[in-house]
Amino acid sequence: MSERPDSAGPDPDDAFDEFEELVEEETRRDPDLAVIEAGSRTLRAQGGPPQADVPARPADPEVDKALREVEAELATRWGETKLEPSVDRIAALMDVLGEPQRSYPSIHITGTNGKTSTARMIEALLGAFDLRTGRYTSPHVQSVTERISLDGAPVSAERFVETYQDVKPYVEMVDAAQECRLSFFEVLTGMAYAAFADAPVDVAVVEVGMGGTWDATNVIDAGVAVVTPIDLDHTDRLGGSPGEIAGEKAGVIKPQATVVMAQQPVDAAQVLLKKAVELDATVAREGLEFGVLDRQVAVGGQLMTLRGLGGEYTEVFLPLHGAHQAHNAAVALAAVEAFFGVGAQRAEPLDIDTVRRAFASVASPGRMEVVRRSPTVVLDAAHNPAGARAAAAAIGEAFQFSNLVGVVGASGDKNVRELLEAFEPVFAEVVVTQNSSHRAMDADALAAIAVEVFGEERVQVEPRLPDALEAAITLAEEEGEYAGGGVLVTGSVITVGEARLLLGKG
């Protein structure tokens, strides 16, 4: 489609001509049907689903070099899985930076699964209501710059490098005064809070790294605390039951805040409610004060009716798949309503058209994300049993695969058996592999568990991820081009990120 020289957008006349050509092309069949189909095809060509905002490597060699140097320096620090139960170091960094995290209100998100997608939905809603947002999420899918977003998009590589250089002298001051240096995650958290203050943002949407009480993000006093579903993960650090894990995650609840709770296991809910009472916090519970009233599968996502704190929101389209994403949407909506005082200071709901526009714009890279067709390849970053169950249900609902092949590369510290068991009913075959992380489970060790779950004839081992993808695509194609073969790549955010790159995304 050609473009006018004085405009960045498509020429409407050209679009009309293309529409007319398509109608003429189809008129030999049913004229009315031809008009409908031509219009649909034209709209798809101009619109399409929201594009996932995963940045590629910088095109400028100097910028790329500078970013790699920053990444290399960050990599010398404690990784995200090595923790010390203390916020002393990050508090010291905030102190020397001048407490940037207190210059804007915050929404703090904890839970086991769904945090990043919920954060993205909250960000989209706030942005649609003309607020400048900062979003801090982890881990990243492909680029470390994804973790810090302004105005709904990751900061540029240049800004990421500049922010690091700005805080580096203060980081070194804190390093010198502490028994242990600041960790990778603590430095990034400091960078995010400083970048948000420098922007400046109207509100920060902050996802915890792990837990809550001792998480590096927990130096903010968020007026809204969000708790997505709690399940078993990181049990060696957070506890062996949902109730124990909830005790750690409840640390994000601050005095007189509003707590927005997704549906929880009974013991987790009890712990969270007790903490809320102790801190005189207001609680909004999914299934009682808010929730999903109705959802229907739609092309490219789902159509929802949500009950918020201020009333019903009908015909809300979400371009993400799965019941779990509808529940994330309900939580996100309630969190934004709470931030604006709906249900407390004001009774009327948020503007429905603005809410619809916001949800329709949401993208969540690596979460039921289609990255290829013929055969269809879907990426999902499920890395624990609860996430795997949600992904298995979503792919069965949203896609009609007659031959679904799994590519699984997991971390060695996860409950891999239960993860594989969740996928066993939906995978015809599974190709086990490993990603490049030092935490990756050895492919042969993963295969041994997979054989016990799937049977030897359904398991193939390909230690290299490129070979695993090729093998899975070949297996999916065996039934023929129109037989409904598909591939789901899952098991780890790192596996999904590396697969995304290999498949030409970013």
Side-chain angles (χ1 to χ4, degrees):
M1 186 178 292
S2 63
E3 296 186 359
R4 293 173 292 174
D6 61 341
S7 170
D11 187 332
D13 292 334
D14 287 347
F16 182 76
D17 290 343
E18 181 180 289
F19 179 85
E20 289 289 295
E21 288 173 11
L22 289 168
V23 171
E24 188 177 348
E25 205 176 276
E26 297 286 345
T27 315
R28 294 194 190 116
R29 297 192 300 121
D30 184 322
D32 293 331
L33 182 61
V35 171
I36 294 168
E37 289 188 353
S40 173
R41 288 159 62 184
T42 306
L43 288 171
R44 285 200 298 272
Q46 294 181 31
Q51 297 302 304
D53 53 348
V54 178
R57 294 300 309 185
D60 186 325
E62 291 302 315
V63 175
D64 188 50
K65 179 184 176 183
L67 179 59
R68 289 184 188 278
E69 289 173 354
V70 171
E71 290 169 330
E73 288 186 27
L74 289 170
T76 66
R77 297 180 176 273
W78 274 4
E80 290 175 277
T81 57
K82 186 172 183 180
L83 305 173
E84 183 189 14
S86 168
V87 292
D88 292 345
R89 291 185 301 277
I90 187 67
L93 179 60
M94 293 296 100
D95 182 53
V96 297
L97 287 173
E99 304 290 346
Q101 81 283 12
R102 304 201 188 285
S103 63
Y104 40 79
S106 302
I107 297 175
H108 207 176
I109 306 169
T110 189
T112 301
N113 290 310
K115 296 187 295 295
T116 297
S117 292
T118 302
R120 285 174 169 273
M121 294 177 196
I122 291 172
E123 172 190 54
L125 284 162
L126 293 169
F129 284 98
D130 297 323
L131 293 183
R132 187 165 204 204
T133 57
R135 171 172 54 84
Y136 181 53
T137 53
S138 60
H140 56 273
V141 177
Q142 286 176 205
S143 171
V144 69
T145 60
E146 296 166 40
R147 296 178 180 233
I148 304 174
S149 288
L150 292 171
D151 299 318
V155 294
S156 66
E158 293 92 335
R159 187 159 191 168
F160 187 89
V161 172
E162 288 168 5
T163 302
Y164 177 77
Q165 297 299 342
D166 286 344
V167 305
K168 184 178 178 179
Y170 302 97
V171 168
E172 291 173 345
M173 286 172 55
V174 174
D175 283 345
Q178 297 287 325
E179 183 178 348
C180 300
R181 296 168 72 213
L182 287 154
S183 70
F184 169 86
F185 187 73
E186 287 168 333
V187 174
L188 279 174
T189 302
M191 289 172 60
Y193 289 161
F196 296 162
D198 185 59
V201 301
D202 297 314
V203 55
V205 182
V206 179
E207 173 190 338
V208 304
M210 186 185 299
T213 302
W214 305 116
D215 189 73
T217 62
N218 202 28
V219 288
I220 54 175
D221 292 317
V224 178
V226 176
V227 188
T228 66
I230 291 174
D231 212 300
L232 300 182
D233 199 10
H234 303 294
T235 54
D236 55 330
R237 299 175 180 86
L238 302 179
S241 70
E244 290 178 2
I245 294 171
E248 170 65 18
K249 294 184 183 292
V252 304
I253 301 173
K254 300 302 191 295
Q256 298 182 319
T258 299
V259 185
V260 177
M261 282 175 45
Q263 291 181 334
Q264 303 290 348
V266 173
D267 57 342
Q270 289 173 337
V271 170
L272 295 168
L273 291 170
K274 183 173 182 292
K275 184 73 169 182
V277 169
E278 291 171 357
L279 297 175
D280 193 27
T282 302
V283 178
R285 300 155 294 179
E286 184 183 7
L288 294 173
E289 284 77 26
F290 70 93
V292 180
L293 294 181
D294 184 57
R295 55 179 294 271
Q296 299 174 31
V297 176
V299 176
Q302 54 193 305
L303 195 64
M304 311 174 297
T305 297
L306 303 177
R307 186 178 72 228
L309 305 179
E312 286 190 17
Y313 299 79
T314 60
E315 296 182 352
V316 176
F317 176 70
L318 179 68
L320 300 175
H321 300 291
H324 62 295
Q325 293 291 17
H327 290 286
N328 290 339
V331 170
L333 177 62
V336 173
E337 286 183 308
F339 180 80
F340 285 125
V342 174
Q345 290 86 22
R346 48 183 283 194
E348 69 274 13
L350 301 176
D351 179 71
I352 182 63
D353 290 331
T354 305
V355 169
R356 287 171 178 156
R357 186 171 69 252
F359 276 119
S361 73
V362 172
S364 195
R367 278 76 179 176
M368 280 293 141
E369 181 186 14
V370 177
V371 293
R372 173 185 161 147
R373 298 286 187 184
S374 297
T376 299
V377 178
V378 183
L379 308 180
D380 193 86
H383 56 274
N384 56 44
R389 289 191 290 270
I395 202 158
E397 174 185 88
F399 302 91
Q400 301 302 313
F401 293 129
S402 60
N403 180 39
L404 179 63
V405 180
V407 174
V408 179
S411 296
D413 58 349
K414 298 298 181 181
N415 186 342
V416 173
R417 179 179 295 276
E418 287 191 24
L419 182 144
L420 291 171
E421 287 173 345
F423 285 119
E424 191 278 331
V426 297
F427 287 167
E429 298 175 82
V430 62
V431 181
V432 297
T433 188
Q434 63 191 75
N435 59 55
S436 63
S437 168
H438 67 279
R439 295 172 54 210
M441 188 175 205
D442 177 76
D444 289 332
L446 180 57
I449 300 172
V451 166
E452 294 177 6
V453 174
F454 288 85
E456 188 172 355
E457 69 283 354
R458 294 168 63 194
V459 178
Q460 184 170 331
V461 186
E462 295 291 350
R464 294 180 66 254
L465 183 56
D467 297 335
L469 291 171
E470 184 178 350
I473 288 169
T474 300
L475 288 169
E477 289 175 331
E478 282 184 351
E479 290 188 18
E481 184 179 357
Y482 303 106
V487 174
L488 175 63
V489 184
T490 189
S492 163
V493 177
I494 297 169
T495 300
V496 162
E498 292 180 357
R500 208 172 184 278
L501 277 170
L502 289 166
L503 293 165
K505 294 289 183 178

